[in-house]
């Protein structure tokens, strides 16, 4: 069930994450409204991917609160106490959050169509004919209907990543997370994946994108967040942040990537 329209799709309140003595996230506070696109940029090791993994509870937070569509992620609150969900409950909650990784993680022994159909089939989200039709529609949406019977080994990296996007969409997520989805691709294949992501943004999908593609961030994002050392250094309108960064650390980073 969806929360009220004014409820942020993602709300992070002083979220911290440590691995042993290494504090990777330090009191991250931000919001993403429904239908918005937020791009996270920053150097490697700044905590961007860890934050993304906390949003769908692939990593547990060490402190703070994370909510998606008004519900705590991975935890339940009873009175003043917060309890971690059982793994089966967390997995059920995770179905509403699509995630696309750097590596495509497709099943090599299954065709593009079978990869897209797999999760909805296992979760019995409809009859086989209806699920196949839906999967074909999603492959068509990412421009790969004519490759539905190809195995991953016979698809380019860009095509595999588009299949991975279609697979995430097959669960009808309310939120899509992208962890540097183009970083493993040859430069000439980047555009075809970004085009699919732009179409998703135009359709109103709420998205958080970890990326090094500054042109994409400038064109598509509603908010650009620069992270470094586990903290949000600067955030704001992408064109403004990119053209006129206020923080010296942001300026230093952008001088190397723009």
């Amino acid at each position: 069930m969806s929360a009220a329209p004014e409820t942020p799709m993602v709300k992070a309140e002083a979220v911290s994450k440590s691995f042993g003595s290494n504090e990777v996230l330090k009191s991250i506070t931000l919001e993403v409204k429904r239908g918005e696109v937020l791009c996270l940029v920053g150097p490697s090791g700044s905590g961007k991917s860890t934050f993304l993994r906390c949003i769908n509870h692939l990593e547990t937070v060490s402190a703070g609160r994370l909510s998606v569509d008004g519900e705590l992620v991975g935890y339940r609150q009873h009175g003043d106490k917060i309890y971690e969900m059982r793994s089966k409950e967390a997995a059920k909650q995770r179905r509403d959050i699509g995630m696309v990784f750097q590596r495509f993680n497709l099943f090599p022994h299954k065709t593009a169509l079978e990869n897209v159909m797999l999760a909805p089939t296992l979760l019995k989200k409809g009859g086989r004919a209806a699920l196949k039709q839906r999967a074909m529609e999603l492959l068509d949406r990412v421009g790969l209907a004519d490759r539905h019977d190809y195995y991953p080994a016979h698809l380019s990296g860009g095509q595999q990543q588009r299949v991975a996007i279609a697979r995430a969409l097959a669960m009808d997520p309310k939120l899509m997370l992208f962890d540097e989805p183009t970083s493993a691709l040859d430069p000439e294949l980047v555009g075809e994946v970004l085009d699919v992501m732009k179409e998703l943004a135009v359709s109103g999908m709420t998205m958080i994108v970890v990326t090094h593609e500054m042109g994409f961030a400038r064109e598509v994002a509603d908010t650009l967040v620069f992270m470094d050392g586990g903290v949000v250094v600067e955030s704001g309108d992408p064109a403004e942040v990119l053209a006129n960064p206020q923080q010296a650390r942001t300026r230093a980073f952008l001088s190397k990537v723009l």
Side-chain angles (χ1 to χ4, degrees):
M1 190 174 74
S2 288
E6 64 274 10
T7 301
M9 181 59 77
V10 178
K11 185 173 185 177
E13 302 170 86
V15 169
S16 297
K17 172 65 180 176
S18 297
F19 295 98
S21 60
N22 182 22
E23 193 176 16
V24 179
L25 298 176
K26 303 170 185 175
S27 200
I28 300 288
T29 295
L30 57 80
E31 287 188 4
V32 184
K33 296 190 180 91
R34 59 192 67 239
E36 278 192 343
V37 177
L38 181 142
C39 280
L40 285 171
V41 302
S44 296
S46 58
K48 307 181 303 293
S49 294
T50 299
F51 179 63
L52 221 58
R53 291 171 67 84
C54 287
I55 293 172
N56 67 356
H57 204 60
L58 289 175
E59 298 287 355
T60 57
V61 300
S62 303
R65 297 162 63 96
L66 251 174
S67 303
V68 171
D69 202 19
E71 285 189 16
L72 277 176
V73 173
Y75 296 88
R76 293 197 184 286
Q77 182 161 356
H78 295 288
D80 295 335
K81 293 209 161 99
I82 291 179
Y83 303 90
E84 188 171 359
M85 288 179 177
R86 293 190 179 95
S87 58
K88 189 178 281 190
E89 284 183 288
K92 189 174 180 182
Q93 194 179 48
R94 200 178 288 127
R95 292 175 198 165
D96 288 333
I97 305 171
M99 187 157 184
V100 177
F101 300 88
Q102 295 179 37
R103 296 289 170 182
F104 325 120
N105 299 330
L106 299 177
F107 289 103
H109 61 290
K110 293 187 178 293
T111 64
L113 180 66
E114 289 167 342
N115 266 282
V116 176
M117 287 179 64
L118 183 61
T121 300
L122 291 174
L123 293 168
K124 299 180 172 56
K125 288 178 75 78
R128 182 167 177 81
L131 291 177
K132 182 176 181 180
Q133 181 181 345
R134 170 71 173 147
M136 284 297 295
E137 288 169 358
L138 289 169
L139 286 171
D140 185 52
R141 185 174 182 181
V142 300
L144 288 172
D146 62 335
R147 298 283 194 276
H148 71 275
D149 55 350
Y150 282 44
Y151 290 91
H154 300 128
L155 297 170
S156 71
Q159 289 170 335
Q160 289 184 61
Q161 192 62 295
R162 286 188 278 152
V163 173
I165 293 172
R167 180 182 58 183
L169 292 173
M171 294 300 292
D172 294 318
K174 59 178 75 169
L175 169 67
M176 284 286 285
L177 308 176
F178 293 87
D179 189 4
E180 299 194 26
T182 60
S183 65
L185 300 179
D186 291 333
E188 68 268 22
L189 302 177
V190 168
E192 64 190 52
V193 174
L194 294 181
D195 285 345
V196 170
M197 294 169 63
K198 288 174 188 173
E199 188 274 324
L200 278 180
V202 169
S203 75
M205 176 65 73
T206 311
M207 297 159 55
I208 301 180
V209 184
V210 173
T211 186
H212 293 296
E213 300 292 337
M214 297 300 162
F216 173 83
R218 183 188 288 110
E219 181 182 347
V220 178
D222 297 287
T223 303
L224 183 69
V225 171
F226 171 64
M227 285 180 65
D228 189 31
V231 301
V232 172
V233 176
E234 189 164 350
S235 68
D237 175 82
E240 183 64 25
V241 172
L242 292 172
N244 188 28
Q246 300 300 299
Q247 303 298 321
R249 184 66 192 92
T250 315
R251 288 196 291 275
F253 173 77
L254 292 176
S255 72
K256 293 182 175 70
V257 298
L258 289 179

